[in-house]
Amino acid sequence: MNIKSLINTCAVVVAVGLSSAAFAGGEGWISDFAAARKQAAESKEDLLVDFTGSDWCGWCIKLNKEVFSQEPFKTGVRGKFVLVELDYPKDKSKLSEATIKQNEELGKKYAVAGYPTILLCDAEGKPFASTGYQEGGPEAYVKHLDELRGNKDKRDAAFESAAKSDGIAKAKALVSALEAMDLTDSMVSNFYGDVVEQIKAADPKDETDFNKAIEGKARIAKFQAELGAFGANKDFDGALGLVDKTLKDGGFGVEETQQLMMTKAMILAQQKKFDEAIKAVDEAKAVAPDSKMNEGIDGFRKRLVDEQGKASGGAAPLDME
């Protein structure tokens, strides 16, 4: 059942549930997603959707306290966003059954993997940006949101350009539209699957490397699932074998290759083979000396050196994640 039908068939329950709802961000928030979309369409505003765990998620509570409940935030987003709170509390007694069901469906639809997740969506509910907790208070957060609103302008401009183009030019415009939003693969698949198909049709020879990137991500996902199985069994040798085979098979971009090599370093660190782990880290950095990953790689290398220098060897093993 879609959300509109759900709300229509449970109108009385929703009305009762909403009348007693207390929003973590204070007044001005809506929990009825269909109503929020309707309001956004009528007022020509976007949606700011807060996926939150109001009574258990520390960062959610911090975001509400420092930003959403503050008057500069409310003033700063007025006329720009319809505010939507989708709560996933431990104490579900504060929510109606209809709202709980709605939120569960929306959590899956938007592929929410953690809290807080803040999505900016157009009035149709299509996401064009995502964020979470940000330091700096309400004024800085409003500025951050204003910058993210530019993603929609870039998306729409690229779509408009694609509509006037054919072939590879069309494909490039559509790829730029997806890249502008910087969404997860799941959100792209769930909300822009038609765009993905248009890219494939317009670029059958994959001159944009779009299909190659998709296939690479699928291979990484398969690799991660297999790696998880080895990790669950504490089979570090099997995990190393999988990494080496995957690297040997090749076909990945620079960032994916670095990620694979860093995974090898982490596994070696779990085994306290610090010399080999440090060597793997150095090899990973050498793949792309100017990569945006290198700051994190340098930090991990420092941790390895620190662990290596502890004579007792009794420190907790480093996470493989």
Side-chain angles (χ1 to χ4, degrees), residues 25 50 55 114 118 130 171-172 193 206 238 290 308:
D50 175 22
D55 63 359
I118 311 300
S130 64
K172 287 181 177 179
D206 197 26
D290 299 323
Q308 185 185 43

Side-chain angles (χ1 to χ4, degrees), residues 21-285:
F23 295 98
E27 295 181 2
W29 293 78
I30 300 173
S31 66
D32 181 338
F33 194 68
R37 283 183 54 187
K38 181 179 179 181
Q39 181 178 327
E42 292 174 348
S43 61
K44 300 187 184 306
E45 296 173 318
D46 294 320
L47 299 168
L48 186 156
V49 187
D50 175 22
F51 291 83
T52 183
S54 64
D55 63 359
W56 63 270
C57 169
W59 289 109
C60 301
I61 295 169
K62 192 174 176 67
L63 182 59
N64 282 323
K65 181 179 179 181
E66 295 179 5
V67 177
F68 293 159
S69 64
Q70 300 298 316
E71 195 60 37
F73 170 80
K74 298 175 184 178
T75 302
V77 299
R78 190 170 296 140
K80 303 173 185 176
F81 296 105
V82 174
L83 304 178
V84 186
E85 182 180 282
L86 301 179
D87 198 4
Y88 301 81
K90 287 186 176 179
D91 178 11
K92 292 182 170 55
S93 64
K94 66 175 75 174
L95 304 179
S96 69
E97 290 184 8
T99 300
I100 292 171
K101 184 175 181 181
Q102 171 201 254
N103 293 359
E104 288 176 350
E105 292 180 354
L106 290 172
K108 292 176 182 178
K109 184 175 182 180
Y110 285 92
V112 174
Y115 304 94
T117 290
I118 311 300
L119 297 182
L120 306 188
C121 306
D122 58 28
E124 295 180 0
K126 286 190 173 183
F128 59 82
S130 64
T131 186
Y133 173 83
Q134 297 282 328
E135 293 183 344
E139 293 89 350
Y141 206 88
V142 169
K143 182 180 179 181
H144 172 60
L145 294 176
D146 287 341
E147 292 172 351
L148 290 179
R149 291 183 79 205
N151 289 10
K152 189 176 76 166
D153 295 333
K154 294 175 184 176
R155 178 198 71 176
D156 293 347
F159 283 160
E160 184 177 348
S161 175
K164 300 175 183 177
S165 308
D166 293 303
I168 188 65
K170 179 175 183 176
K172 287 181 177 179
L174 293 174
V175 169
S176 70
L178 296 182
E179 290 179 344
M181 295 181 285
D182 194 25
L183 301 175
T184 66
D185 295 339
S186 295
M187 275 192 273
V188 169
S189 177
N190 291 347
F191 291 93
Y192 296 96
D194 59 327
V195 176
V196 172
E197 293 306 315
Q198 289 179 55
I199 294 171
K200 292 179 179 179
D203 182 21
K205 294 183 179 180
D206 197 26
E207 295 178 51
T208 60
D209 287 333
F210 182 75
N211 285 338
K212 181 181 178 181
I214 289 178
E215 291 170 359
K217 290 176 181 178
R219 288 182 62 199
I220 288 291
K222 182 175 181 291
F223 163 80
Q224 289 173 338
E226 293 176 354
L227 184 68
F230 284 116
N233 294 321
K234 304 294 183 183
D235 184 356
F236 296 115
D237 290 336
L240 283 171
L242 173 66
V243 174
D244 286 339
K245 180 181 183 303
T246 305
L247 284 168
K248 184 178 180 180
D249 290 343
F252 295 101
V254 171
E255 286 193 7
E256 289 84 1
T257 300
Q258 277 193 313
Q259 290 170 3
L260 288 167
M261 296 176 78
M262 285 302 295
T263 299
K264 179 176 181 178
M266 293 175 188
I267 296 170
L268 289 167
Q270 284 277 18
Q271 295 177 296
K272 299 189 182 299
K273 297 178 180 179
F274 296 115
D275 287 339
E276 294 178 55
I278 291 170
K279 180 181 177 182
V281 167
D282 291 340
E283 290 174 348
K285 186 173 181 178

Side-chain angles (χ1 to χ4, degrees), residues 279-319:
K279 180 181 177 182
V281 167
D282 291 340
E283 290 174 348
K285 186 173 181 178
V287 169
D290 299 323
S291 169
K292 62 183 181 181
M293 290 178 59
N294 285 344
E295 182 177 347
I297 289 175
D298 289 340
F300 185 72
R301 189 185 194 282
K302 183 179 183 302
R303 289 176 61 196
L304 289 175
V305 172
D306 290 343
E307 290 291 325
Q308 185 185 43
K310 291 180 180 179
S312 66
L318 297 169
D319 291 336

